[in-house]
Amino acid sequence: MLLCPSTMCMDFGQLEKEIKQLESAGIDIFHNDIMDGNFVPNITLGINDLKAIKRYTDKPCDVHLMIENPSNKVDWFIDAGADIVYIHPESERYVSKTLNHIKERGVKAGIAINPDTSIETVKEMLNYSDYVLVMTVNPGFAGQKYIEFCTEKVKRLAQMKERYGYKIIIDGSCSPQRIKMLREIGADGFVLGTSALFNKNKSYKEIVQKLRSM
Ligand code: DX5
Ligand code: ZN
């Protein structure tokens, strides 16, 4: 099970301490939400944040590009150290071409699909996807409510996993109970935000150990 803390939820006032604590808690991938204020109504992390995070950890870092026209920007993030690049098919005209470019740069490629995006419309892209990030909230903000109809999408994607060879990561309102349920239907990993990890009165280590023991 891949546990991916959402870095936008961290206390950037003590970045190194947060990263080190999350690392020693046993997380797998740092999930970096990049938002441009156009594709989603919020602006969060940028290139310098990614570079700073990469300075403090050897763990893989992904970038979740919630930006318009990512094709001409993916190199900025790869050059800044991204190990996985997620693009939204809703924001890109030639998705497979961009996914292929990401892979040619030697890093992993993934599509991130919004709640309203049906699997039928992304099937061909799965040929180039190492990961599928299933948004279970409308992207842009932490602390939102889980959208129940997304569970069915996870089930459908799990049935196609063998054929295409991608991993399913869930992004949005991943509480411990929901992680358990979604893991049982085939999800491989989870973005951890305020629903499971941050702003709790327990250490990251305690929470991560508990999640892994479920
Ligand atoms: C949503 C963000 C995630 C996540 C945060 O756009 O990509 O950071 O929802 O986790 P929660 O939903 O648990 O606060
Ligand atoms: Zn995300």
Side-chain angles (χ1 to χ4, degrees), residues 124-195:
E124 285 64 26
M125 305 166 199
L126 298 174
N127 287 294
Y128 291 112
S129 300
D130 300 306
Y131 292 90
V132 176
L133 188 73
V134 180
M135 294 310 298
T136 47
V137 296
N138 285 305
F141 298 91
Q144 300 181 83
K145 238 171 89 39
Y146 181 84
I147 298 175
E148 292 299 340
F149 67 69
C150 295
T151 304
E152 192 50 39
K153 284 169 74 174
V154 177
K155 279 187 192 149
R156 306 263 312 287
L157 283 164
Q159 286 159 2
M160 298 192 289
K161 229 172 27 171
E162 292 310 309
R163 164 148 164 36
Y164 291 100
Y166 51 75
K167 285 193 173 16
I168 301 170
I169 310 291
I170 310 296
D171 187 351
S173 197
C174 294
S175 65
Q177 301 73 16
R178 208 159 277 131
I179 288 171
K180 188 170 181 317
M181 177 272 286
L182 291 165
R183 183 150 167 64
E184 281 161 7
I185 62 173
D188 300 291
F190 302 90
V191 172
L192 304 178
T194 62
S195 308

Side-chain angles (χ1 to χ4, degrees), residues 32-36 44-51 54 61-87 101-102 105 107:
N32 297 284
D33 285 318
I34 311 292
M35 303 180 189
D36 65 1
T44 48
L45 309 178
I47 306 266
N48 288 337
D49 299 301
L50 176 63
K51 284 180 181 168
K54 283 296 284 187
C61 288
D62 73 31
V63 286
H64 174 191
L65 299 183
M66 290 168 268
I67 64 176
E68 291 297 351
N69 308 314
S71 58
N72 54 13
K73 304 173 187 77
V74 294
D75 288 312
W76 302 350
F77 294 92
I78 295 169
D79 295 344
D83 303 286
I84 303 166
V85 178
Y86 290 106
I87 60 171
H101 171 70
I102 293 165
R105 287 289 318 264
V107 303

Side-chain angles (χ1 to χ4, degrees), residues 14-15 41 46 50 97 116 121 130 141 149 159 209:
Q14 36 185 358
L15 183 61
L50 176 63
K97 187 167 167 237
D116 299 347
T121 60
D130 300 306
F141 298 91
F149 67 69
Q159 286 159 2
Q209 275 169 350

